[in-house]
Amino acid sequence: MFAAPAAEGQRPQYRIDATYVPQKDEVKAHMELILPAQGTRAQTEAFFHLYPNVFRDWKYGREAKPQKPGYIDISNVRVDGKPVKEKISGIIMRIPLPTPLTKGKSARIEMDFLLNLPRGGTRLNTFKQTAFLAQWYPMLSVRDQDGWHTEPYTTVGDPFYTQMSDFEVTFRLPQGYQVISTGNNADGRVRSPITVKQERVRDFAAVLTKDYRVTRGKMGNIQVNLWYLKGMENVVKPLHEAAVSGMKFYGERFGPYPYDEVDIVLGETGFGIAGMEYPGLVTSIPTVPAESGQVPAVNVVVHELAHQWWYGVVGNNQVKEPWLDEGLTTFSEFLYMQKKMKEDERGLLKKAAKRTDEIHRVVGVTSVERLYDYPDAVYGMMVYIRPAAMMFQLMDEIGEKKVMDILHTYYERYRFKVATTRDFIRVANEVAGKDLTPFFDEWLYFKHK
Ligand SMILES: [Zn+2]
């Protein structure tokens, strides 16, 4: 169990004022963070992740190396108005708090940052007249009962762990640029400056663009926007329909989506990234290969949308237990594809169960490991596919309705919180009315009877 990082009403509050200069691939910004005390012990420091700095001096695989490096520089750090000296080591920044922060109090941390966007970066990227701003500002690291989470970057999975926060972001843009973001922009007016707010989200992503066009629609009260580039016209209708129907499908089964809008942005966002989830915004490639040739990427779109439930609303430590959001999301995706697209992958999942048994024997990893412990080649099978197969097997054993009840209860109980594998198993046992621990032990931890 994790101690709640901050009680309701005491979320960190970010205020960012950002000016985009496309000619220089730069975003110049001022950031203010109201930081409520976290935990019960007095707090004398705060840590931030500076993810753009992984693109400064790329240490990972050559295939994902950006064509042009990027970075984030920090200056003028102040705490409650007093200048302090930050310490940066790689992607981690430590800021000292001159007055120890005690329970119920908060500190105001301010800084300027200069973001230089990489070209061909993974997630954080710029091309033509579009900038993808992902993990683009100094992101407060999580402090919980295990202490500060200052985990390093990796190219395997999504190495990000952040907490529910409130955002108010002002963008100053050259003429003709618009903002697609975690916040709402339902009126669709193109203007600058534009201020976008969103409360209770783990992250704030934005796409600044002069090139994207949009198709808008509604699922109940939720605005569902599909953004695409010239040349993608033939997938707009099927993918927008899939997005609307996917939001409905998941909302009915797992519980209501708590925000007013979701944006789906089509296009490549870096090597090896078919799609990516952010609160209120997902990216997806437009098409995927099939036997009949390239087809609209319905599976990718509904996968990323399912993450709004698993990771977006119900959080988990994606570094420590990546299966918890990826496994449930892959299951959600396969369930949608089976029910709505008549694509039954049960045969593939049965094979995957056998294959992962072999992987476990040879490589030694289970489905519940940290990102760093997986070789790239087995990550998808262990973290996405096997847990999805497990959920289908569970449907066979206790029935589809019970499994939906488990997911619904889990969603309701851990909405806006952080859940763990143990929490998930506890809910499953409770809702099923029997001890499923041996079932999960076998599927997740390979403990065979
Ligand atoms: Zn995923």
Side-chain angles (χ1 to χ4, degrees):
M1 204 197 89
F2 287 100
E8 182 63 21
Q10 295 183 319
R11 292 183 293 272
Q13 292 170 14
Y14 288 86
R15 193 174 291 158
I16 302 173
D17 190 317
T19 302
Y20 178 42
V21 187
Q23 303 86 330
K24 293 174 155 180
D25 288 335
E26 268 178 15
V27 175
K28 287 180 193 169
H30 180 75
M31 181 172 112
E32 181 185 304
L33 176 75
I34 306 295
L35 173 69
Q38 295 160 297
T40 44
R41 280 171 298 132
Q43 190 176 332
T44 56
E45 56 189 356
F47 286 89
F48 290 80
H49 274 82
L50 305 176
Y51 289 110
N53 281 346
V54 298
F55 303 107
R56 194 192 287 264
D57 175 21
W58 187 251
K59 293 187 183 71
Y60 306 89
R62 247 180 135 168
E63 63 290 344
K65 191 179 175 189
Q67 290 130 33
K68 192 201 86 175
Y71 55 84
I72 185 168
D73 279 341
I74 307 294
S75 55
N76 299 323
V77 182
R78 288 166 187 271
V79 176
D80 294 325
K82 292 186 207 100
V84 298
K85 191 68 204 123
E86 76 281 5
K87 195 171 161 238
I88 297 174
S89 165
I91 62 163
I92 302 299
M93 171 168 69
R94 177 189 179 272
I95 291 180
L97 304 179
T99 311
L101 192 54
T102 51
K103 205 168 177 235
K105 296 272 180 8
S106 60
R108 186 160 54 100
I109 301 176
E110 285 174 277
M111 67 193 79
D112 294 328
F113 70 83
L114 173 68
L115 170 69
N116 190 280
L117 290 156
R119 284 189 179 258
T122 301
R123 302 185 189 87
L124 181 72
N125 198 359
T126 175
F127 67 87
K128 291 190 184 160
Q129 302 182 97
T130 300
F132 284 92
L133 303 188
Q135 293 90 28
W136 59 285
Y137 54 90
M139 297 175 92
L140 179 68
S141 310
V142 174
R143 186 196 196 212
D144 61 22
Q145 67 177 33
D146 299 335
W148 284 97
H149 287 267
T150 53
E151 281 89 354
Y153 187 79
T154 167
T155 49
V156 176
D158 302 331
F160 315 111
Y161 177 37
T162 49
Q163 61 183 295
M164 283 292 177
S165 306
D166 297 343
F167 289 85
E168 182 180 320
V169 185
T170 299
F171 291 101
R172 300 172 195 279
L173 304 165
Q175 212 180 15
Y177 272 84
Q178 58 185 325
V179 178
I180 310 164
S181 78
T182 285
N184 298 349
N185 182 18
D187 73 2
R189 279 176 50 211
V190 177
R191 61 190 184 279
S192 175
I194 177 168
T195 298
V196 190
K197 294 181 191 179
Q198 191 59 281
E199 290 188 352
R200 217 145 61 161
V201 284
R202 297 180 196 280
D203 178 2
F204 192 100
V207 180
L208 313 179
T209 183
K210 223 173 160 175
D211 290 340
Y212 271 89
R213 305 136 192 236
V214 65
T215 289
R216 295 175 193 277
K218 286 252 179 194
M219 197 297 289
N221 292 323
I222 304 162
Q223 178 85 29
V224 182
N225 304 326
L226 183 89
W227 300 83
Y228 61 98
L229 294 168
K230 196 164 184 269
M232 296 176 184
E233 290 80 2
N234 57 341
V235 300
V236 169
K237 193 164 178 282
L239 292 184
H240 189 255
E241 281 171 7
V244 169
S245 126
M247 291 299 288
K248 183 163 188 278
F249 185 85
Y250 299 140
E252 284 169 358
R253 280 163 182 78
F254 310 146
Y257 176 73
Y259 311 109
D260 302 330
E261 187 181 273
V262 67
D263 293 296
I264 300 97
V265 183
L266 301 183
E268 299 272 352
T269 53
F271 178 85
I273 304 278
M276 181 65 195
E277 69 279 14
Y278 309 96
L281 190 162
V282 303
T283 65
S284 169
I285 48 174
T287 60
V288 288
E291 279 165 25
S292 54
Q294 290 287 319
V295 298
V298 169
N299 61 326
V300 181
V301 167
V302 298
H303 177 100
E304 304 310 338
L305 289 176
H307 272 300
Q308 296 299 317
W309 280 260
W310 317 128
Y311 152 75
V313 177
V314 177
N316 61 295
N317 184 334
Q318 300 186 105
V319 173
K320 202 173 164 192
E321 299 186 321
W323 89 270
L324 192 49
D325 65 301
E326 291 301 352
L328 295 183
T329 294
T330 304
F331 168 69
S332 306
E333 168 204 333
F334 278 38
L335 191 68
Y336 177 92
M337 295 305 282
Q338 185 195 63
K339 303 267 184 200
K340 296 286 172 181
M341 305 297 287
K342 309 286 173 246
E343 277 185 25
D344 202 335
E345 304 283 18
R346 303 293 298 270
L348 181 147
L349 290 172
K350 285 241 152 66
K351 273 188 216 147
K354 284 216 180 82
R355 175 86 188 95
T356 46
D357 279 335
E358 280 166 39
I359 293 172
H360 172 69
R361 271 198 303 277
V362 176
V363 187
V365 289
T366 71
S367 287
V368 191
E369 311 276 2
R370 304 178 318 154
L371 285 179
Y372 314 109
D373 301 329
Y374 292 107
D376 214 351
V378 307
Y379 170 70
M381 285 296 276
M382 300 306 268
V383 168
Y384 289 56
I385 307 293
R386 184 175 173 98
M390 170 183 85
M391 296 304 288
F392 276 102
Q393 180 63 33
L394 190 60
M395 289 211 301
D396 287 347
E397 294 189 16
I398 65 172
E400 183 177 330
K401 190 180 171 299
K402 272 264 155 70
V403 171
M404 293 306 123
D405 284 349
I406 289 170
L407 291 173
H408 181 84
T409 307
Y410 173 68
Y411 180 73
E412 202 169 81
R413 195 166 298 170
Y414 292 99
R415 256 164 86 94
F416 307 120
K417 297 179 186 149
V418 171
T420 64
T421 302
R422 275 160 169 258
D423 295 328
F424 178 75
I425 295 173
R426 196 179 308 118
V427 169
N429 288 345
E430 182 190 310
V431 175
K434 64 174 178 184
D435 186 14
L436 294 169
T437 310
F439 173 88
F440 290 116
D441 276 350
E442 178 170 349
W443 276 93
L444 294 173
Y445 299 96
F446 297 79
K447 287 183 196 162
H448 297 289
K449 282 167 278 191

